[in-house]
Amino acid sequence: MSPGTPRELMDARAVEGALARMARELVERNGGAGDMLLIGVHRRGVPLSERLADEIERTGGERPPVGSLDITLYRDDLMAIGPRPVVGETRLPGSGIDGRVVVIVDDVLYTGRTVRAALDELADFGRPARITLCVLVDRGGRELPIQPDVVGMRVDAAADERVEVLVPPLDDRLGVVVAPRQEAGA
Amino acid sequence: MTPPPTFLGKDLIGLEHLQAEQIRAILDTAETFKEISERPIKKVPVLRGKTIVNLFFEPSTRTRISFEFAEKRLSADTVNVAATGSSVTKGETLVDTARNLEAMRIDMVVIRHSASGAARFLAERIPSNVINAGDGRHEHPTQGLLDLLTIRDHRGAIEGLKVCIVGDVLHSRVARSNIWGLLKLGAEVAVCGPATLMPAAVETLGVRFFRRIEDAIEWADVLNVLRLQLERMHAGYVPSLREYNRFFGVSKERLAAAPRDVLVLHPGPMNRGVEIDSDVADGPCSVILDQVTNGVAVRMAVLYLLAGGRPETAEAAKAGP
């Protein structure tokens, strides 16, 4: 394999299997799906949280409400990267997050800074009973004391590699690949 | 230390020199920022630690408060300086005021001034980001942007719409910002009003000119009705407010004759019974209060996009989170 070729870590079946297991774990940890709120981190956390909700419903649980969180405005490096022209949507269920079990859903956990920002943003919306972190891939490399509660897969990726989750409708298929980091436009 | 140019450049002076793509990005950003004002805690930490001076050399309530809300909802620290037109005028004094503020280490200045060109004059002389909140007869870009956003919200797109600006175009910075912005986004633009209140050769701006309000209403999808300032009557531009209302007032009867639903905007403050009748201002066609709501979101978007970052650290920051 030549350098620069993306390497597949999970195919569609593996991701589906992982999501099914994660959904079960979430329900078990929480003792049921009641009070649970799934909050997908913009962008790929959003369709993943929808899939987890579908999965919880499919296995007989009550479908938890799903929301989305764009953490751009809470990033600790916002002034360094420069503003992104368009910020995504933060949309929380109408019932609010007070007293609920909030599950933060993201595609890849790396430095932990996104999760830090998500925690800050959630605190501005209310006081959940508990916040749980659920990620499809934990690639290591943490820069903050943040750990996931529910993980689909763990992988040790090098700093010059990029772990990408592919999920429809943002991508044309379901999967996880690791590729060399792009120099520009990352 | 001069901040580097951002997506919008260092300053926002007017819409004349913006690209359509930049205007669309401001509107899209404003669209997502609207939601922040609906939250229980209406604040995000984007401009935490930034100091913004609102330098208003002309009286303003709506624009100043709107900017202040936008700044506070982005967590900036703000100072309001209201200078009267007599004590501080253009030229060196303006720069001296700003340099003194600079010496206290500020990041942005929002300026309203009676002299056309005051915002650019200031922007070229201080390193802080400068936002034009209205300079003389030149431009009022955030008003133009909030008008664009309001029209887009209600009509889906700007492109192909027929928008007529009614009233005192000659003295209006709102008219100029609207004309530039609308044309760039592909609208057809017209103006309507007494010939005494039209710039010479107004068609060279790329707009049509209607002498009769009835013709304008028949043509337009959107009317943006400008405020007729009382001073214009004293200066002899119009014989009387009553006569102005009779010939150019936007009334329910005139709108009823329109072949389609017309959207009515007004930048405020309104002279009810002069340029616009109360039953229009408060009627179903009016989106005047939507304009006010959108004003905060648009100003948040502009502040956010101007508060850009440093390219030398951008590469490192891309790695995370």
Side-chain angles (χ1 to χ4, degrees):
Chain A
M1 195 191 306
S2 66
T5 316
R7 181 159 52 87
E8 178 129 328
L9 293 179
M10 289 170 108
D11 60 10
R13 264 187 83 157
V15 174
E16 277 163 8
L19 287 172
R21 181 177 52 73
M22 291 160 73
R24 271 201 312 279
E25 265 186 60
L26 282 173
V27 174
E28 276 163 23
R29 285 180 64 92
N30 190 43
D35 283 346
M36 202 193 284
L37 269 182
L38 303 184
I39 307 288
V41 176
H42 206 71
R43 293 169 58 195
R44 285 179 175 71
V46 180
L48 287 177
S49 61
E50 294 283 354
R51 281 171 181 269
L52 282 169
D54 292 344
E55 195 60 43
I56 290 170
E57 189 180 22
R58 200 180 61 78
T59 53
E62 190 189 329
R63 192 177 201 277
V66 176
S68 64
L69 203 61
D70 184 294
I71 57 97
T72 304
L73 303 176
Y74 287 78
R75 289 176 71 121
D76 55 10
D77 57 352
L78 183 59
M79 289 303 133
I81 56 165
R84 215 166 79 197
V86 178
V87 180
E89 189 185 31
T90 289
R91 182 177 46 81
L92 298 183
S95 52
I97 62 171
D98 286 334
R100 310 290 294 260
V101 175
V102 172
V103 179
I104 298 175
V105 180
D106 204 357
D107 55 350
V108 180
L109 178 61
Y110 183 20
T111 61
R113 289 178 192 269
T114 299
V115 176
R116 197 281 311 160
L119 290 170
D120 271 7
E121 182 161 12
L122 283 174
D124 280 354
F125 281 94
R127 184 181 185 279
R130 186 160 69 236
I131 301 180
T132 300
L133 177 59
C134 172
V135 296
L136 183 61
V137 183
D138 176 0
R139 61 162 292 179
R142 221 78 76 234
E143 294 169 2
L144 294 172
I146 282 172
Q147 301 307 333
D149 301 295
V150 175
V151 186
M153 158 185 214
R154 288 178 206 277
V155 57
D156 279 323
D160 61 355
E161 288 177 319
R162 187 173 174 81
V163 177
E164 286 175 20
V165 169
L166 308 172
V167 55
L170 297 174
D171 307 292
D172 54 5
R173 67 186 179 94
L174 199 56
V176 179
V177 296
V178 55
R181 186 172 291 282
Q182 298 292 313
E183 285 309 313
Chain B
M1 197 179 68
T2 308
T6 62
F7 178 73
L8 287 184
K10 180 173 93 67
D11 313 292
L12 178 67
I13 305 302
L15 301 189
E16 183 180 357
H17 300 292
L18 288 189
Q19 314 286 327
E21 167 210 351
Q22 291 172 307
I23 294 175
R24 280 195 203 96
I26 298 172
L27 300 184
D28 292 346
T29 306
E31 199 63 53
T32 56
F33 277 2
K34 280 185 192 174
E35 175 264 324
I36 293 169
S37 296
E38 308 296 329
R39 295 182 184 185
I41 295 182
K42 300 172 180 52
K43 216 176 186 49
V44 291
V46 172
L47 297 184
R48 203 159 55 95
K50 299 270 180 195
T51 309
I52 303 179
V53 176
N54 299 314
L55 196 54
F56 278 67
F57 292 93
E58 255 187 12
S60 160
T61 310
R62 193 180 329 249
T63 303
R64 185 177 54 75
I65 291 175
S66 181
F67 264 110
E68 214 177 325
F69 274 136
E71 292 155 1
K72 289 188 154 76
R73 286 179 191 172
L74 296 179
S75 304
D77 296 313
T78 66
V79 177
N80 292 321
V81 181
T84 58
S86 55
S87 67
V88 190
T89 48
K90 62 192 170 189
E92 264 195 311
T93 326
L94 169 60
V95 165
D96 276 344
T97 308
R99 282 191 184 144
N100 277 280
L101 293 166
E102 284 275 334
M104 292 183 238
R105 303 291 177 258
I106 59 166
D107 299 292
M108 289 189 178
V109 178
V110 175
I111 180 175
R112 155 76 57 100
H113 200 287
S114 59
S116 304
R120 175 169 304 285
F121 181 83
L122 187 66
E124 285 168 354
R125 283 162 181 81
I126 60 172
S128 302
N129 307 106
V130 173
I131 299 174
N132 185 4
D135 62 330
R137 304 177 183 186
H138 174 233
E139 281 220 46
H140 189 351
T142 54
Q143 178 72 44
L145 289 164
L146 74 88
D147 290 343
L148 290 172
L149 184 63
T150 308
I151 296 170
R152 201 177 75 165
D153 281 354
H154 287 270
R155 286 292 183 265
I158 304 282
E159 202 175 353
L161 280 181
K162 293 175 171 160
V163 184
C164 185
I165 299 161
V166 183
D168 182 2
V169 175
L170 178 62
H171 299 94
S172 175
R173 52 197 175 209
V174 175
R176 257 164 278 277
S177 288
N178 261 271
I179 291 170
W180 292 121
L182 287 163
L183 288 176
K184 278 171 199 283
L185 295 194
E188 284 183 63
V189 184
V191 293
C192 175
T196 48
L197 292 176
M198 287 297 146
V202 65
E203 289 92 344
T204 58
L205 290 172
V207 302
R208 297 177 64 154
F209 173 34
F210 290 108
R211 286 170 192 280
R212 297 177 65 242
I213 184 74
E214 291 82 1
D215 297 341
I217 289 175
E218 195 185 329
W219 174 83
D221 299 304
V222 180
L223 291 181
N224 198 345
V225 186
L226 302 174
R227 169 183 168 76
L228 183 77
Q229 286 172 336
L230 233 62
E231 308 88 272
R232 306 296 173 235
M233 189 181 70
H234 302 311
Y237 288 101
V238 292
S240 76
L241 297 183
R242 184 184 291 252
E243 182 174 315
Y244 182 87
N245 179 256
R246 228 177 72 211
F247 285 97
F248 294 101
V250 177
S251 66
K252 200 173 156 187
E253 293 70 30
R254 285 183 169 139
L255 283 182
R260 58 187 84 78
D261 284 343
V262 178
L263 204 64
V264 178
L265 289 82
H266 191 297
M270 289 184 277
N271 294 308
R272 289 169 180 263
V274 182
E275 72 269 6
I276 188 166
D277 285 1
S278 273
D279 45 13
V280 174
D282 306 327
C285 299
S286 163
V287 291
I288 295 169
L289 290 177
D290 294 349
Q291 289 174 270
V292 179
T293 307
N294 282 345
V296 177
V298 154
R299 292 178 176 116
M300 286 169 78
V302 168
L303 291 163
Y304 167 71
L305 291 171
L306 283 180
R310 293 165 296 155
E312 66 271 19
T313 55
E315 203 54 43
K318 270 185 202 160

